[in-house]
Amino acid sequence: MTEEIVVIPGDGIGTEVIPEAQRVLETVIDVEFVEADAGDAVKEQTGEALPQETYDLAASADATLFGAAGETAADVILPLREAVDSFVNIRPAKAYPGVDALRPETDLVFLRENTEGVYSGHEDRLSDDLSTLTRVVTTSASERLAEFACEYVGDRDVNGVTVAHKANVMRETDGRFRDAVVAVAADNGVEVDEVLMDAFATRVCLDPTQFDVIVCPNLAGDVLSDLAAGLVGGLGLLPSANVGPDRALFEPVHGTAPDIAGQGVANPAATILSAAMLLEYLGYDAESKAVHEAVEGVLSDGPRTADLGGDASTTEVTDAIIDRL
C-alpha cells in the first residue's frame, strides 16, 4: 500500500532537513508525498503564515511531517496541532553512543499535554502597565493524556510514570492536572511518582536515570524537554510527535536555526528520527526500528555534522544512514 504523507518544510533548515527525511522514508516504504507551505516566507508572499489549504491537508492526512517556522512559529505549529487534534506531544530525549553528551546515560520520554495550559491563547493587555494570561486546565484533557501515558508505558514494558507539576503553588490548575493523572494511573494499575517541576530540573541534571516517562502540563513539558536536550547533545537530536485520536504531526524540536540555514550543514538526525516515529505510528514497526538503528550507527561512527564535532554535510549524513538501511 502506498502511504500518502503531507510534508511542510517551512523555513530555515526545515527546507533542508525535510527532503532528507523524505529520502529515508522512500528507502523503507512505498510513499507518496504531498508538499504544502507554511511559515515566514509564505506569510510574506500571501499574508498568511498557514494557508487554509495547508491546514486542511494536515487535518485530513494520516500523518504530516513538518520542518520548522521562524517568527510565525506560533501561528503555524499551534494551528497544525489543532488540525490533527493533538492532545499529546511525545518528546524523547536520548543520548546516543559516540555523541558528546553531558549525561550519556540519559534515556527519557516526555509526554506533554498539548491543548491547553498557558498556550491556550487567553492573553490580554489591560493597560499600559498590566497584561494578563489565563491558564486553562481541564480534568478531561488531563485524563486523556493520562490514559495515553498508561497505554504508552504498557506497550513499552515500563514500570510507571512520573508526573511533573507545580501543584504546591498552582493548586487549582496543576492540582487538577496532578489529581487526574494520579487517579487514571491508579485505575490502570500504573505506578506513578510525583515531582515538582523545578525540583525535576535539578534532579534530572544530576541523575537522569531517576526518570523514564514524564507526564507534564503543556509549558512544563516544553521547557523541561528542552532542558533534557542539553544533557544529550543538543536540540539537533530531538524528534517529536503530536498525536491525536486519528492522525498525527511529526517535527524536529530544533527550529529554523537561522545561523546555519542555507549552508547545507544542518544535522538531519532529529527530522529523520521524527520520520522513524511517523513510521511506528503508521504501523511500520520493523522499518521504524531499522531507521532508528541506522541513525544511531551513523551518530556513533560518523560522518557527523559540525554541531557534533564533524565536518559532514546534511546530505552526506543522510547518505550514510541510507547506506546502512
Side-chain angles (χ1 to χ4, degrees):
M1 181 181 72
T2 301
E3 299 288 351
E4 187 174 275
I5 297 171
V6 174
V7 292
I8 309 172
D11 302 310
I13 64 171
T15 62
E16 300 172 54
V17 294
I18 288 294
E20 303 303 310
Q22 290 177 250
R23 290 206 291 139
V24 171
L25 288 170
E26 288 172 328
T27 302
V28 294
I29 64 171
D30 187 9
V31 60
E32 179 179 339
F33 297 108
V34 178
E35 189 161 329
D37 295 321
D40 296 357
V42 177
K43 185 173 183 178
E44 288 180 10
Q45 295 169 3
T46 69
E48 291 182 306
L50 182 66
Q52 186 65 43
E53 180 183 5
T54 300
Y55 181 97
D56 292 343
L57 284 169
S60 61
D62 290 330
T64 299
L65 188 61
F66 172 65
E71 294 298 322
T72 58
D75 299 320
V76 174
I77 191 57
L78 295 182
L80 282 176
R81 289 171 180 166
E82 176 189 85
V84 302
D85 191 18
S86 170
F87 61 88
V88 57
N89 182 209
I90 307 171
R91 290 191 171 191
K94 178 180 179 179
Y96 295 100
V99 175
D100 185 16
L102 288 176
R103 290 295 183 185
E105 67 273 29
T106 305
D107 190 358
L108 307 170
V109 177
F110 293 86
L111 301 181
R112 166 192 173 194
E113 202 288 318
N114 217 23
T115 65
E116 49 187 31
V118 296
Y119 290 174
S120 300
H122 301 292
E123 286 190 275
D124 291 291
R125 184 181 294 271
L126 300 182
S127 73
D128 291 342
D129 185 54
L130 175 64
S131 294
T132 63
L133 169 64
T134 300
R135 187 168 191 254
V136 177
V137 175
T138 64
T139 298
S140 55
S142 303
E143 288 178 341
R144 184 161 68 159
L145 173 65
E147 292 284 359
F148 181 91
C150 291
E151 183 177 341
Y152 186 90
V153 298
D155 290 344
R156 286 157 179 79
D157 195 27
V158 176
N159 289 332
V161 301
T162 298
V163 55
H165 60 78
K166 194 64 176 169
N168 61 326
V169 175
M170 296 181 285
R171 297 173 183 174
E172 289 301 323
T173 50
D174 264 26
R176 180 182 294 274
F177 177 84
R178 186 255 337 260
D179 292 348
V181 174
V182 170
V184 169
D187 289 345
N188 285 274
V190 173
E191 294 183 16
V192 58
D193 293 323
E194 296 183 43
V195 60
L196 295 177
M197 63 180 69
D198 47 348
F200 176 89
T202 298
R203 289 174 56 189
V204 75
C205 294
L206 296 173
D207 180 13
T209 64
Q210 298 175 75
F211 306 106
D212 195 340
V213 176
I214 304 99
V215 180
C216 305
N218 203 334
L219 176 61
D222 193 2
V223 174
L224 295 176
S225 61
D226 276 16
L227 182 151
L231 304 180
V232 303
L235 288 172
L237 297 172
L238 263 63
S240 75
N242 301 280
V243 177
D246 301 309
R247 49 192 50 86
L249 168 74
F250 301 84
E251 57 171 327
V253 178
H254 54 56
T256 59
D259 55 324
I260 60 169
Q263 300 177 32
V265 297
N267 187 346
T271 309
I272 294 172
L273 289 170
S274 297
M277 296 178 75
L278 182 154
L279 288 168
E280 182 182 7
Y281 174 79
L282 291 178
Y284 295 97
D285 293 347
E287 290 83 354
S288 175
K289 182 180 178 182
V291 172
H292 271 285
E293 290 177 349
V295 172
E296 289 188 27
V298 170
L299 289 173
S300 176
D301 301 336
R304 303 188 187 96
T305 46
D307 61 312
L308 300 181
D311 59 4
S313 69
T314 305
T315 300
E316 288 169 340
V317 171
T318 307
D319 288 343
I321 292 169
I322 291 173
D323 284 345
R324 286 177 177 265
L325 289 169

